[in-house]
Amino acid sequence: MAGNNPTSSEYIQHHLQNMTFGLHPENGLGLAHSAQEAQEMGFWAIHLDTMGWSIGLGILFLWVFRMVAKTATTGVPSGMQNFVEMMVEFVDNSVRETFHGKSKLIAPLSLTIFCWIFLMNLMDLVPVDFLPMLAQKIGAWFGADPAHVYFKVVPTTDVNATLGMSLSVFALIIFYSIREKGFSGFVAELTLHPFNASNPFVQALLIPANFLLEAVTLLAKPVSLALRLFGNLYAGELIFILIAMIGLWQLPLHFAWATFHLLIITLQAFIFMMLTIVYLSMATEKH
């Protein structure tokens, strides 16, 4: 992929490199031709493959559910309607059992998170060479060097995508905490627990320690959400790439790993959804 006869290292690195678009200090605005150029583009560079697939799969989710909702019938339901109703009921039950506050946002948010992440994870089952080689051929039609055409098809193997989703959840945690407890209550939660004392002077001395512990606990939520999803899918993608390098025996090994990986794909989407519900439920508690 990184040339006519790439080494194992070049093959792996090529598959793990995103299609990066940004402003290079020397080459100007355009696509990065190497990992070094992508790094030199800095923070504001965009991973076009991650953005394209994540937005496209999000639109697919919305289109399918909207189509089913418009054609739903009280008679004999279609297979797709059965599937959508099963998903909605499953998420609704999870929210009812876990979320103890009152909000019309949590159930649709949870449904979106689960289905969207599942679809993005599901791209990991596409053969690792199929779409990248197609992207190389399309790039060659426009005069690009195939060795410099990078294309990752699993958005959740990009830490930028998983961190973006987790930061959105983090913003909701802050919003619900302040809405339910007020700004002063939110600050008190960060500074007066877990250590407290009846003496005001002693309590004031404990504020820095309390704030440090609570701030670490609060900030660990989005970080753990992002890195858990990214780490599991990145490792799974890497194993698929290593299997693709074997040659003759890759098909049975690919099938065996894909069967097992299907459980990981579903489980990681479920964990992200459930932790989101739990964190938002904790944010609405007024104890």
Side-chain angles (χ1 to χ4, degrees), residues 97-263:
E97 294 171 0
T98 309
F99 185 75
H100 304 300
K102 292 182 179 180
S103 175
K104 296 181 179 179
L105 174 66
I106 305 302
L109 173 67
S110 302
L111 179 65
T112 301
I113 286 175
F114 180 77
C115 294
W116 193 25
I117 293 179
F118 176 79
L119 287 174
M120 289 191 286
N121 292 350
L122 194 65
M123 297 301 296
D124 215 0
L125 300 185
V126 177
V128 294
D129 282 333
F130 177 66
L131 291 174
M133 289 183 67
L134 181 61
Q136 284 187 332
K137 292 180 179 180
I138 294 174
W141 291 343
F142 291 94
D145 183 355
H148 294 156
V149 176
Y150 304 97
F151 198 68
K152 285 179 68 176
V153 299
V154 188
T156 44
T157 60
D158 186 351
V159 71
N160 297 284
T162 59
L163 192 58
M165 289 186 290
S166 65
L167 288 177
S168 300
V169 173
F170 181 69
L172 287 173
I173 293 173
I174 301 298
F175 170 77
Y176 275 95
S177 296
I178 295 177
R179 190 188 75 168
E180 297 296 330
K181 304 159 191 172
F183 183 76
S184 59
F186 177 60
V187 173
E189 188 177 62
L190 292 177
T191 56
L192 302 180
H193 301 281
F195 305 116
N196 56 74
S198 57
N199 188 307
F201 177 74
V202 176
Q203 184 64 63
L205 293 177
L206 293 174
I207 285 178
N210 286 334
F211 179 74
L212 179 62
L213 290 174
E214 290 297 321
V216 170
T217 301
L218 184 63
L219 294 175
K221 292 176 180 178
V223 174
S224 63
L225 271 179
L227 295 185
R228 181 185 294 106
L229 179 59
F230 163 73
N232 280 278
L233 270 296
Y234 188 88
E237 177 73 359
L238 185 58
I239 291 176
F240 276 123
I241 293 172
L242 294 175
I243 290 174
M245 296 169 57
I246 294 176
L248 181 63
W249 296 98
Q250 67 173 286
L251 187 59
L253 289 175
H254 181 94
F255 177 77
W257 176 243
T259 303
F260 174 75
H261 197 57
L262 186 60
L263 300 176

